[in-house]
Structure formats: structure tokens, C-alpha cells
Amino acid sequence: MKVSGRKTGSALSHAPGDWYAVDWRRVERNVRGMQIRIAKATREGKWRKVKALQRMLTRTLSAKLYAVRRVTQNQGARTAGVDRELWDTPENRRLAVDRLKRRGYRPLPLRRVFIPKANGKERPLGIPTMHDRAMQALYLLALEPVAESTSDPNSYGFRQNRSTADAMGQLRVCLSRKDSSQWVLEADIKGCFDYINHDWLERNVPMDTAILRKWLKAGLIYKGQLQATEAGTPQGGIISPTLANVTLNGLERELDAHLRAQFGVAKAKKLKINLVRYADDFVITGVSKEILATEVRPWIEAFLAARGLQLSEEKTRITHIDDGFDFLGWNFRKYAGKFLIKPSKKNAQAFYRKVSETISGNKTVKQENLIRLLNPMLRGWAQYHHSVSAKRAYSRMEHLVFQRLWRWSRRRHPQKNSGWVRKKYFHSVGERQWVFAVPLVRADGSKGLLDLYQISGMAIKWHTKIKGEFDPFDPTWEQYGEKLRQGRMWESMRYRKQWAGLYMSQGGHCAHCGTALTEETGWHDHHLEYRMHGGTDALANRVLLHPHCHQQVHAGRIAVTKPVLP
């Protein structure tokens, strides 16, 4: 077994006795090799071969190890299902691998919970057990290559290397020119995850039908009562987003084929029909309101009806670009012919409400703790909007947050005057005045300030959209995908200069296992010489590791060295 990037000669043919002894680099290589073969068979239309390869993949030890690692390293790893079981120890994870078997598998009902939505309503989630999550992750490994190879080019939700920014970039391409479409159909599917027809899924999803049926019919438990699930794929399962994507795949391609058949190739092109979808939200551009209302919308409704879905009457509308429309937290609109994308008012209001609740809910905490709570929120919101025209929204939000923090500061000292409060809680940083900050002593003993993140300091930079044809399981796209991944990781880190420097110095790979660091895998900052042993925070003493590699290094007391790029 391979431990720290060095082979010992044994093949990955049986479950290791120690979870930390798993050779993750070999695991990922084995899984990806099988996925590439599945994708190739899909593109060639060899569906019997696809099925055979999928069955082979779900029975391999590598895939089972990968599935267990995924469900024990993601954000939901501490959330139990109806059996209240968690795989929080290496021993539990090792034993879990042996339990991932098709024969005799019976999923338990989902645990129903509700989480708040931005509009004040609640979104229902179905939480599977850890065992069921791992089984879903296992079969997702076999389904994902097929889903990617058959997806529409402008579908951007829940797909590798695709994001809301890519959907925004495609809409900029479709709407920004003077001769672009002037009308937009804003479509919203009513309860997409709740109403997908089970019979349609069983007939059309290219995976083990018996296993899929068991998940769909598992039922859910709410307030101690077992409820049947006759339709839908409950939000909360690892495989649910991909099932929803498979359901809506063809929306773009089949609409284009319908229009070409109806009007001919030349006239269909002049209609300027473009569909951009993110998960179950999509917009369709068109040259006129009539073509969207009389030709496009009826076809969309028929497409959805075959899958048990329908458009929401209250949220589906046709809008002129001069009036603008909201999509994915942005407002798209032309002002006297100039196309601009800005943070939507609804998005800004929801974010300010969240910040305000955080401040009001921490009236008595130390200023340092409040800053550490707020900074990730402020940075995340600013980064989300940094590829649109957001400078005015940044300044407005910064002003509102300042007012809220001033009230927070004054409330703590009702007997003190404004000058005293300002001197205690606000400082000057360079040319910036009234900065909410607190003095602190750094790890090296030097003194400095911990200041509130400056939203208006976020630079605006246009987003480079992913190529619609990109397939992460096609070897011909390998170089493009690697360059794209590293570029986007750099973008996500570039405002945290130390992490960005470590990432670039390691070539975007984990210093322990040598595989890629991605947004999905996450990363930990590891000190080569532990601080308790006198190690410093200098970059020369730090590397980035995967979270599971970090655990492996500490558990096995493995020495990690600074990688040297060729």
C-alpha cells in the first residue's frame, strides 16, 4: 500500500486495514480512468458498453473508497440521517467501505428538515443516512461521465468547473451587442426537485434502475411520521442535482432542433433564440415577444410536462431588455442601449439582512470576534459580484454596514461621547478613515490591526466564460481543463496572497499526494515544522494539503517536504 506518495508494490485490491494508509493518488487515477472509458462509450453511443463499465466501476474498491471519502469530507459529514449514525473515525470509514454492496441494499427513509430561503420561505431538504449518501456518491461516479457527455453546452449548474459566473458570461455574449435579442423569457420551474416524474427517471436515467427506484421510493420521516415519496428527487441527496440535470438535459439542443425543423436553418438563426440554464432556473432570449410567447414557451411547457414538471405562472414572464431582469443574484439591463450587469436589489437586501442579523446577534462579543465573523461574509459577497458592474453597490453596502457597526459601538457605551467611541473602535489605515479595527499582536510578536474587510477595495475583473463544449472526461480537453482549474483557483485565492503564493509554488497540487487542489476538495494550511515545536508562519514553512491528506499526515506522523517544481 502506498502511504506518502511512494509505492510499496501492492495493488489496490483489498480494503486497507488503516484508513490513513490508502493511496489516494492511485484511487483517483483508477476512478478517473474508468470514468474516461464510460464517457468515451457514451459519445460513441455504445450504451451496452456504458452499462457494463458502470457496473464494473461501482464494484471496484477504488470507487468505494472515493465515495466514502467524499461523504466524510464534505460539509454535510456532521449531519446524520434517521439512523443518527456518523462516520467520524477512521475505523468507521474503513468498515463503511465493506458495506457498499448492491446485493441486499435497502435505503432508509430520508430525514426531512427545512432551511430558510432568501425570500423568507423555507426549502425542504431530505437528509439520507451516511450509508445511503455513500451509495449515492458511488453510483454518481458512474453516472456523472454520461451526464456530462450528454449535457447542453449552456447548462452551468452542478457541473464540474462551471459556475453562476459562466452563466452570466454567456448572457453577456447573447445580450450585450446592439443587434442582440431584445426580449427575454424568464422561466422558473415550479418545485422542480419535488415533482420530477419517477417513471420518466427510471426510463431515461442511464444508471442501475433497481438502485434508482429504491432511492426514489425510500420515503421520508417528518415529525416521526413516515411519508411516501411518489414524485421528485429530494434536495439533500448527493445524486439529486445530477438527476435534475439529466431530467432537463436536451432543453437547449432539442429546442434548437425544433426551431430549425419549424422555420428552417436560416430563419431559425435570425430568431436569436439562446437558452442559458443554471440548475432549474433558465432564461431564453428571442428577437420578439411573439416568438417567445407563441412558439418557444408552448414547446418548453410540453418538454417539461413529459417529465412531470411545469412552469411557475407567477415567476415566468417575458421582459424587454430595457426593463431588465434578475437572474442568479444579478440584474441584466440596457440603459440607453448600453448593457450593464449589476448586483440585484433583492440580492443586496438579502445580504445586508444577513450581516445586520449577525451584528445584532453578537451585541456583547469582543470586537475582534465580530470582525472575524463578518470578514468571510463580506469577502464572499464582494467576490461573487467582482465580475460585474458592482462598484456602486459595493460603496452602498459598505456605507450601510458602517452605519450598523456605529450603532453597535454606541450601544455598548451609552455614557461615552462620539469621540471616545470612535477612538476605541475605529482607526485610520493608510488613507482610509473610520476603519472598524482592533489592535492585535501577531504570532511573531509584532503589533498590527485586524480591520474589517473593505468591500469597495475589491477589483472588478470580467469573467472568462468556460467553453460550452468542454467535457472534463474527454482527454482531448485535459490541457484546457487543467489551465482552467488552476486559473480559477488562483482567482479564488488571489485576495489571500499567502495561500495564492503557496498554491502557485506547488503547481496547484497537494504537497502530500500530488493530486489537484480544487474548490471541491478544499485545502488546509500545513506547517512543515509544527508551531508548537518552534515553527514559524513563514511561507517557507508552510504547504497546502487536502483536508484528508492533512489528517493522514498528522495521524501517521508523516514528514512532508516542500515540493520543487521542475
Side-chain angles (χ1 to χ4, degrees):
M1 193 59 59
K2 188 177 175 185
V3 177
S4 60
R6 296 178 295 276
K7 296 181 181 178
T8 62
S10 61
L12 198 65
S13 58
H14 60 278
D18 181 2
W19 178 258
Y20 292 129
V22 175
D23 179 355
W24 292 112
R25 189 170 189 173
R26 183 178 296 183
V27 164
E28 292 193 22
R29 186 167 61 244
N30 292 346
V31 170
R32 179 159 178 79
M34 288 293 293
Q35 289 179 317
I36 289 173
R37 292 176 64 189
I38 293 171
K40 183 174 184 292
T42 302
R43 292 192 297 272
E44 295 173 348
K46 298 178 179 178
W47 294 106
R48 291 183 66 181
K49 186 175 181 181
V50 168
K51 188 175 182 180
L53 289 171
Q54 286 182 318
R55 184 168 57 248
M56 189 186 305
L57 175 59
T58 56
R59 294 179 179 181
T60 64
L61 175 60
S62 289
K64 294 177 180 180
L65 287 165
Y66 196 101
V68 171
R69 189 187 76 180
R70 177 170 180 176
V71 301
T72 55
Q73 295 291 340
N74 62 18
Q75 291 183 346
R78 298 181 181 178
T79 305
V82 294
D83 62 354
R84 299 296 175 181
E85 180 181 350
L86 292 176
W87 296 343
D88 50 3
T89 66
E91 179 65 17
N92 286 343
R93 295 169 192 170
R94 186 189 66 78
L95 294 175
V97 173
D98 297 329
R99 293 172 55 195
L100 298 186
K101 297 178 181 178
R102 184 183 189 278
R103 178 174 295 180
Y105 171 63
R106 292 190 63 182
L108 292 175
L110 306 169
R111 181 166 69 90
R112 173 69 91 194
V113 297
F114 292 87
I115 60 172
K117 296 171 64 175
N119 59 8
K121 297 181 180 179
E122 291 185 322
R123 173 182 286 112
L125 291 184
I127 309 299
T129 64
M130 292 296 294
H131 184 220
D132 294 333
R133 267 178 261 175
M135 286 292 285
Q136 289 188 18
L138 176 63
Y139 280 85
L140 178 59
L141 290 173
L143 174 62
E144 201 169 22
V146 184
E148 280 289 341
S149 300
T150 56
S151 287
D152 292 323
N154 292 305
S155 163
Y156 297 100
F158 304 113
R159 295 179 62 191
Q160 289 188 31
N161 296 307
R162 296 182 183 233
S163 66
T164 54
D166 290 307
M168 177 270 294
Q170 178 62 19
L171 280 174
R172 180 185 282 130
V173 171
C174 298
L175 296 169
S176 60
R177 296 175 55 174
K178 289 184 179 180
D179 60 348
S180 295
S181 305
Q182 298 295 303
W183 292 91
V184 175
L185 170 63
E186 304 173 64
D188 183 271
I189 301 174
K190 184 178 180 181
C192 178
F193 283 87
D194 297 325
Y195 296 110
I196 300 175
N197 184 277
H198 283 181
D199 292 335
W200 189 94
L201 286 172
E202 291 177 23
R203 290 194 308 269
N204 293 277
V205 176
M207 66 168 290
D208 189 316
T209 306
I211 294 292
L212 176 61
R213 185 184 300 114
K214 289 180 180 181
W215 287 334
L216 296 177
K217 302 299 184 183
L220 56 89
I221 291 180
Y222 181 57
K223 293 183 177 179
Q225 298 294 319
L226 177 63
Q227 301 175 7
T229 47
E230 301 298 334
T233 168
Q235 298 182 62
I238 287 177
I239 205 170
S240 293
T242 303
L243 292 178
N245 266 341
V246 171
T247 303
L248 298 176
N249 278 345
L251 196 60
E252 180 182 359
R253 285 195 173 102
E254 292 180 29
L255 174 60
D256 182 62
H258 165 74
L259 293 173
R260 288 169 180 264
Q262 186 82 356
F263 298 101
V265 175
K267 187 174 180 180
K269 188 174 182 180
K270 292 179 180 179
L271 297 177
K272 299 177 181 177
I273 303 296
N274 297 285
L275 187 148
V276 179
R277 178 169 69 87
Y278 187 89
D280 59 335
D281 292 328
F282 60 94
V283 295
I284 307 174
T285 69
V287 72
S288 69
K289 184 176 183 179
E290 290 71 28
I291 196 69
L292 291 175
T294 61
E295 191 65 42
V296 174
R297 178 165 179 170
W299 185 90
I300 294 292
E301 289 175 337
F303 178 92
L304 295 176
R307 292 152 174 79
L309 302 172
Q310 62 182 28
L311 293 175
S312 168
E313 290 295 333
E314 59 182 28
K315 295 182 180 180
T316 300
R317 62 182 68 87
I318 299 175
T319 310
H320 195 275
I321 191 62
D322 289 346
D323 298 323
F325 65 96
D326 290 349
F327 185 59
L328 302 176
W330 293 299
N331 179 261
F332 300 77
R333 184 177 175 184
K334 276 189 175 178
Y335 299 82
K338 183 178 181 180
F339 182 70
L340 291 177
I341 308 173
K342 302 178 180 180
S344 69
K345 290 183 179 178
K346 182 185 292 186
N347 178 274
Q349 289 170 353
F351 177 70
Y352 175 68
R353 185 163 55 248
K354 180 180 177 182
V355 171
S356 182
E357 289 172 354
T358 300
I359 295 172
S360 61
N362 292 275
K363 294 184 177 70
T364 59
V365 302
K366 293 181 179 179
Q367 184 184 9
E368 177 183 346
N369 295 340
L370 181 61
I371 292 174
R372 294 190 189 279
L373 279 174
L374 293 176
N375 277 355
M377 297 167 57
L378 300 175
R379 183 184 293 107
W381 187 79
Q383 283 186 326
Y384 184 80
H385 295 293
H386 86 282
S387 54
V388 302
S389 302
K391 278 297 183 183
R392 183 173 295 180
Y394 285 167
S395 298
R396 173 64 177 166
M397 185 62 65
E398 204 164 63
H399 176 68
L400 291 173
V401 173
F402 165 78
Q403 289 184 317
R404 197 68 187 79
L405 290 171
W406 177 246
R407 291 197 296 271
W408 179 89
S409 304
R410 290 294 304 271
R411 180 190 175 280
R412 292 163 72 93
H413 306 281
Q415 305 301 321
K416 300 292 185 179
N417 60 40
S418 298
W420 187 94
V421 173
R422 174 184 177 177
K423 187 175 181 180
K424 179 173 178 61
Y425 292 103
F426 296 86
H427 299 265
S428 297
V429 179
E431 297 181 357
R432 297 167 58 204
Q433 308 295 320
W434 285 85
V435 178
F436 191 69
V438 60
L440 56 75
V441 179
R442 301 188 181 95
D444 60 4
S446 62
K447 295 182 179 180
L449 283 175
L450 174 65
D451 58 322
L452 191 73
Y453 179 79
Q454 184 188 13
I455 298 177
S456 60
M458 175 66 69
I460 301 298
K461 182 180 179 182
W462 298 134
H463 177 79
T464 302
K465 186 186 80 70
I466 193 172
K467 293 182 180 180
E469 303 80 20
F470 171 68
D471 184 347
F473 300 105
D474 185 346
T476 60
W477 287 96
E478 187 74 28
Q479 187 175 359
Y480 174 82
E482 183 67 15
K483 185 178 179 181
L484 181 76
R485 179 187 64 79
Q486 291 197 12
R488 295 195 169 180
M489 280 291 288
W490 167 256
E491 279 296 312
S492 69
M493 288 180 169
R494 69 191 180 107
Y495 294 102
R496 300 181 179 185
K497 295 181 180 179
Q498 292 191 346
W499 281 356
L502 290 173
Y503 179 80
M504 296 303 291
S505 71
Q506 295 174 206
H509 295 85
C510 173
H512 175 56
C513 70
T515 57
L517 293 164
T518 67
E519 292 277 12
E520 183 181 357
T521 64
W523 59 87
H524 281 176
D525 193 343
H526 173 70
H527 288 72
L528 301 177
E529 183 180 358
Y530 297 170
R531 281 179 291 185
M532 66 177 65
H533 298 153
T536 69
D537 285 330
L539 293 183
N541 188 49
R542 291 157 58 193
V543 291
L544 297 180
L545 306 176
H546 290 124
H548 55 271
C549 288
H550 202 194
Q551 293 176 353
Q552 194 171 8
V553 166
H554 280 275
R557 298 183 179 180
I558 301 170
V560 180
T561 58
K562 195 80 171 177
V564 179
L565 295 181

